[in-house]
């Protein structure tokens, strides 16, 4: 399925970048696991305004990193660009130091760079981006006690027609899923819309990784599937809810496995993947995207 290069292999990971002591850290940094969030998924107006600030920083950081996705750049350099941008806005890059599952090491970088068949959670390293690669950049900013989370897919140079179509369909799938997130509906309607649209274009939607509630916690516990999960995941969408919609669509099968690093997830068949993500808030008139530059 790979239109251009051979499969991605793990590169060398550089030292952890420093964060000034003056920048507030999320509660999980330096701990073996993040605390369980018990504050619910509906936030008051003051909290939503704080999330709006973090989400805007994350969106601006994503745009800045995306401008540097060109043949010849390393994913480690993309991480440095995102890291410095977030710090320059007096925010903390939320993925840096996020605890791993089951005793695995914390995430060592300030954003995720998932290239081609890497579905998500790719660790920036010495990998050199090549012409036609799809690079998914997932970056989150923490400021004023809340997070704003987003992801985009960028094609380095000129992409193949297959890669361009995958990226365009994935973005449209996300936007359709967001539009479906209306007050009073169950969250599983979002995945139903995304999966049907993906299938119409011959793509599969990844089931193993989902959207999530976000705010004072990086992951609140609310799950937003990107496939038709009914009758499960029947939480009712309410005004004041904040969560992400972040479909990952594959050219081939969505079956996947995790590398030994405890983070990087790749498709079993090597097929390429695109992903987009927005943080949204539910208003009385429907969803509002918060992760806009």
């Amino acid at each position: 399925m790979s239109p251009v290069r051979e499969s991605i292999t793990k590169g060398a990971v550089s030292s952890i970048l420093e964060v000034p002591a003056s920048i507030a850290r999320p509660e999980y940094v330096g701990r073996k696991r993040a605390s369980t969030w018990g504050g619910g998924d509906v936030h008051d107006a003051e909290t939503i305004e704080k999330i709006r600030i973090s989400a805007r920083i994350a969106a601006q950081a994503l745009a800045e990193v995306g401008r540097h996705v060109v043949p010849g750049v390393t994913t480690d350099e993309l991480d440095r660009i995102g890291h410095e941008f977030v710090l320059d806005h007096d925010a903390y890059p939320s993925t840096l130091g996020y605890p791993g599952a089951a005793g695995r090491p914390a995430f060592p970088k300030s954003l995720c760079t998932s290239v081609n068949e890497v579905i998500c959670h790719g660790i920036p390293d010495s990998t050199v981006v090549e012409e036609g690669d799809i690079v998914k950049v997932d970056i989150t900013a923490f400021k004023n006690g809340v997070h704003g989370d987003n992801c985009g897919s960028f094609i380095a140079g000129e992409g193949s027609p297959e890669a361009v179509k995958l990226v365009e369909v994935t973005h449209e799938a996300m936007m359709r899923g967001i539009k479906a997130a209306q007050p009073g509906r169950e969250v599983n309607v979002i995945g139903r819309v995304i999966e049907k649209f993906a299938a119409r274009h011959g793509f599969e939607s990844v089931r193993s990784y989902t959207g999530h509630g976000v705010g004072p916690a990086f992951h609140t516990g609310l799950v937003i599937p990107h496939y038709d999960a009914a009758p499960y995941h029947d939480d009712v969408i309410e005004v004041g809810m904040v969560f992400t919609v972040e479909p990952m669509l594959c050219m081939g099968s969505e079956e996947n496995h995790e590398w030994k690093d405890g983070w990087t997830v790749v498709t079993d068949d090597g097929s390429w993947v695109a992903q987009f993500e927005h943080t949204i808030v539910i208003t009385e008139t429907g969803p509002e995207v918060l992760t806009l530059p």
Side-chain angles (χ1 to χ4, degrees):
M1 271 295 179
S2 301
V4 186
R5 74 188 289 172
E6 296 297 324
S7 61
I8 297 297
T9 56
K10 187 174 180 60
V13 179
S14 63
S15 300
I16 294 174
L17 297 174
E18 295 184 0
V19 177
S22 59
I23 293 180
R25 273 80 165 153
E27 53 80 22
Y28 51 76
V29 174
R31 299 183 180 181
K32 292 184 178 179
R33 61 182 61 86
S35 299
T36 301
W37 171 249
D41 298 291
V42 176
H43 304 296
D44 59 30
E46 181 180 357
T47 301
I48 291 170
E49 286 308 304
K50 290 180 179 178
I51 297 171
R52 189 185 303 278
I53 293 170
S54 295
R56 184 179 300 117
I57 293 170
Q60 291 171 344
L62 179 64
E64 178 64 19
V65 176
R67 282 193 285 271
H68 292 83
V69 176
V70 295
V73 72
T74 64
T75 56
D76 192 56
E77 175 65 8
L78 296 176
D79 177 73
R80 184 195 62 78
I81 292 166
H83 178 88
E84 293 183 358
F85 187 96
V86 173
L87 297 191
D88 286 346
H89 289 76
D90 198 31
Y92 184 91
S94 302
T95 61
L96 184 61
Y98 190 79
R104 294 167 182 166
F107 196 81
K109 293 294 177 178
S110 298
L111 50 79
C112 302
T113 48
S114 304
V115 182
N116 300 342
E117 73 268 23
V118 180
I119 293 175
C120 60
H121 304 160
I123 299 173
D125 58 20
S126 60
T127 298
V128 177
V129 174
E130 296 184 7
E131 180 80 19
D133 282 347
I134 298 176
V135 183
K136 284 84 72 185
V137 177
D138 192 337
I139 188 165
T140 306
F142 176 80
K143 186 172 183 174
N144 300 321
V146 298
H147 303 264
D149 187 9
N150 66 172
C151 176
S153 292
F154 304 92
I155 297 178
E158 184 175 350
S160 69
E162 297 88 350
V164 171
K165 178 183 177 182
L166 177 65
V167 168
E168 290 177 347
V169 169
T170 304
H171 184 267
E172 178 63 18
M174 174 189 67
M175 296 308 297
R176 289 181 179 228
I178 289 171
K179 186 177 180 180
Q182 298 293 330
R185 292 179 172 177
E186 295 179 356
V187 297
N188 55 37
V189 71
I190 298 169
R192 187 176 311 129
V193 168
I194 288 171
E195 187 173 46
K196 285 184 177 179
F197 183 71
R200 191 188 312 167
H201 292 275
F203 301 136
E204 288 195 7
S205 183
V206 173
R207 295 179 169 226
S208 308
Y209 300 89
T210 68
H212 53 88
V214 64
F218 196 166
H219 303 90
T220 67
L222 177 66
V223 175
I224 309 295
H226 304 119
Y227 62 95
D228 188 353
Y232 305 106
H233 298 293
D234 58 353
D235 301 85
V236 175
I237 298 170
E238 301 178 52
V239 173
M241 271 187 168
V242 179
F243 55 84
T244 69
V245 177
E246 48 181 300
M248 308 161 199
L249 302 190
C250 307
M251 287 183 179
S253 171
E254 63 93 19
E255 294 295 325
N256 60 80
H257 62 278
E258 188 177 80
W259 282 0
K260 291 181 180 179
D261 64 15
W263 287 104
T264 308
V265 181
V266 299
T267 56
D268 288 350
D269 63 4
S271 61
W272 286 22
V273 183
Q275 180 189 14
F276 285 92
E277 173 187 18
H278 273 314
T279 294
I280 68 171
V281 60
I282 304 302
T283 73
E284 292 182 357
T285 58
E288 177 191 350
V289 174
L290 298 179
T291 37
L292 294 175

